[in-house]
């Protein structure tokens, strides 16, 4: 079976993390979170890696958490999940991170980018954070980071009303650095990551920490979200919404 996440160390000190589960729109499983978490921790521990790039497959960055894993409040709930372990690592990773978003980026597929230092999108990018619609709450510190980025009113549209964003809207809101043709997206993201990796490491790390602001607030937000997420995951309202997605009727033609 093909790896659902591939890790490739490129020239110039760039580690590429590629999501590779196209049959499920790159929905993230526990094994995928674990692979990404280890790749980030490994980047921090390596003198050779100076930047990380997240990429997906053509037309799909990620459909977010695998919703089947949320059913029945999987053992230990969200607090004990590989998803939360990944989110904690994501928030404290010291290596600069770059996202290349082509196509759908739902849930953690979108909120992951809030932790990235640079974000590039293709014209087909579609970001959506439908946590509340699913009976859940925002994660990955998005309830803290998104209002900081776009203001509380816009964040309310995105996080409570699950309003989708296309690439130009994301650019206008400052959620992406640039919109690039799909066939140039990854190459450009890697080139920008290589520029970061080539900078003096000490100055980069200190400057990055200054730009990113209060790390303790980010970590406090993601832990508070995790507690609320756990409670919601046990609620009938979320279990009903998740079951509805997973039991969607197939069109007759696909039978
Ligand atoms: N978890 C589990 N499976 C998922 C998934 C997810 N988050 N997203 C997509 N899939 C699966 C579908 O069930 C389908 O599987 P099947 O072929 O075995 O039935 C396959 O991936 C293809 O998805 P499909 O919905 O047919 O593709 P689409 O192009 O019509 O729509 C999305 C793509 C992403 C818009 C849609 O799949 C979707 O809304 N997914 C859920 C996203 C979500 O809510 N994520 C969690 C946020 S907290």
């Amino acid at each position: 079976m093909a790896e659902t996440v591939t890790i490739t160390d490129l020239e110039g000190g760039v580690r590429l993390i590629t999501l590779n589960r196209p049959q499920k729109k790159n929905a993230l499983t526990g094994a995928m979170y674990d692979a990404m978490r280890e790749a980030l921790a490994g980047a921090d521990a390596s003198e050779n890696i100076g930047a990380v790039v997240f990429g997906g497959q053509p037309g799909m960055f990620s459909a977010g958490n695998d919703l089947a894993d949320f059913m029945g409040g999987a053992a230990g709930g969200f607090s004990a999940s590989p998803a939360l372990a990944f989110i904690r690592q994501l928030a404290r990773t010291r290596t600069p991170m770059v996202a290349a978003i082509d196509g759908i980026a739902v849930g953690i597929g979108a909120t992951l980018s809030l932790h990235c230092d640079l974000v590039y999108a293709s014209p087909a990018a579609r970001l959506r954070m439908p946590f509340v619609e699913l009976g859940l709450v925002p994660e990955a510190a998005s309830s803290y980071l998104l209002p900081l980025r776009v203001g509380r009113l816009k964040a309310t549209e995105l996080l409570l009303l699950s309003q989708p964003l296309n690439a130009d809207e994301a650019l206008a809101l400052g959620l992406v650095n640039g919109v690039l043709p799909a066939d140039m997206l990854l190459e450009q993201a890697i080139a920008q990551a290589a520029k970061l990796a080539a900078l003096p490491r000490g100055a980069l790390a200190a400057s990055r920490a200054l730009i990113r602001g209060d790390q303790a607030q980010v970590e406090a937000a993601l832990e508070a979200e995790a507690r609320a997420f756990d409670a919601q995951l046990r609620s009938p309202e979320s279990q009903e919404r998740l079951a509805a997605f997973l039991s969607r009727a197939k069109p007759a033609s696909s039978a």
Side-chain angles (χ1 to χ4, degrees), residues 129-148:
M129 292 166 268
F131 303 108
V132 180
E133 196 176 277
L134 287 167
L136 299 169
V137 300
E139 35 69 316
S142 55
S143 63
Y144 172 69
L145 292 172
L146 202 56
L148 269 185

Side-chain angles (χ1 to χ4, degrees), residues 21-25 27-28 62-68 70 104 106-108 128-131 134 136 139 229 245-246 248 250:
R21 196 185 176 215
Q23 69 281 14
K24 295 287 183 184
K25 303 283 174 180
L28 299 172
S62 173
N65 202 98
D66 189 305
L67 292 177
F70 280 157
I104 52 165
V106 189
I108 185 77
R128 200 159 169 271
M129 292 166 268
F131 303 108
L134 287 167
L136 299 169
E139 35 69 316
F229 203 103
F245 172 79
L246 293 168
R248 289 176 308 173
K250 295 274 177 217

Side-chain angles (χ1 to χ4, degrees), residues 2-228:
E3 292 288 332
T4 48
V5 173
T6 55
I7 313 297
T8 316
D9 290 342
L10 306 170
E11 274 178 34
V14 176
R15 170 164 289 183
L16 175 60
I17 300 178
T18 306
L19 305 177
N20 182 30
R21 196 185 176 215
Q23 69 281 14
K24 295 287 183 184
K25 303 283 174 180
N26 281 346
L28 299 172
T29 61
M32 292 168 79
Y33 284 119
D34 285 346
M36 292 195 292
R37 179 178 50 74
E38 284 166 19
L40 292 180
D44 275 356
S46 163
E47 286 186 4
N48 299 325
I49 305 297
V52 169
V53 174
F54 288 101
Q57 299 298 321
M60 64 183 90
F61 183 67
S62 173
N65 202 98
D66 189 305
L67 292 177
D69 285 356
F70 280 157
M71 284 303 295
F78 186 68
S79 295
S81 67
L84 183 59
F86 165 70
I87 286 168
R88 287 179 172 137
Q89 173 62 53
L90 181 70
R92 63 170 175 257
T93 294
R94 295 184 307 280
T95 308
M97 297 176 285
V98 180
I101 299 179
D102 180 18
I104 52 165
V106 189
I108 185 77
T111 57
L112 178 159
S113 71
L114 297 171
H115 295 267
C116 290
D117 299 275
L118 295 170
V119 183
Y120 297 95
S122 76
R126 294 287 178 279
L127 280 70
R128 200 159 169 271
M129 292 166 268
F131 303 108
V132 180
E133 196 176 277
L134 287 167
L136 299 169
V137 300
E139 35 69 316
S142 55
S143 63
Y144 172 69
L145 292 172
L146 202 56
L148 269 185
R149 295 278 181 86
V150 304
R152 183 164 58 82
L153 297 185
K154 192 69 198 176
T156 298
E157 287 182 339
L158 302 179
L159 288 176
L160 298 192
L161 297 179
S162 309
Q163 186 177 287
L165 287 178
N166 65 30
D168 287 338
E169 290 164 338
L171 182 65
L173 285 173
L175 293 174
V176 306
N177 292 85
V179 180
L180 301 162
D183 61 355
M184 293 169 59
L185 177 67
L186 187 62
E187 188 186 323
Q188 290 291 328
I190 291 169
Q192 293 297 85
K195 283 187 202 166
L196 290 170
L199 291 167
R201 294 281 165 89
L204 175 65
S207 305
R208 184 177 183 268
L210 290 165
I211 290 172
R212 292 170 77 91
D214 192 341
Q215 174 74 12
Q217 291 269 16
V218 175
E219 296 193 16
L222 74 84
E223 297 299 339
E225 289 170 348
R227 289 189 289 277

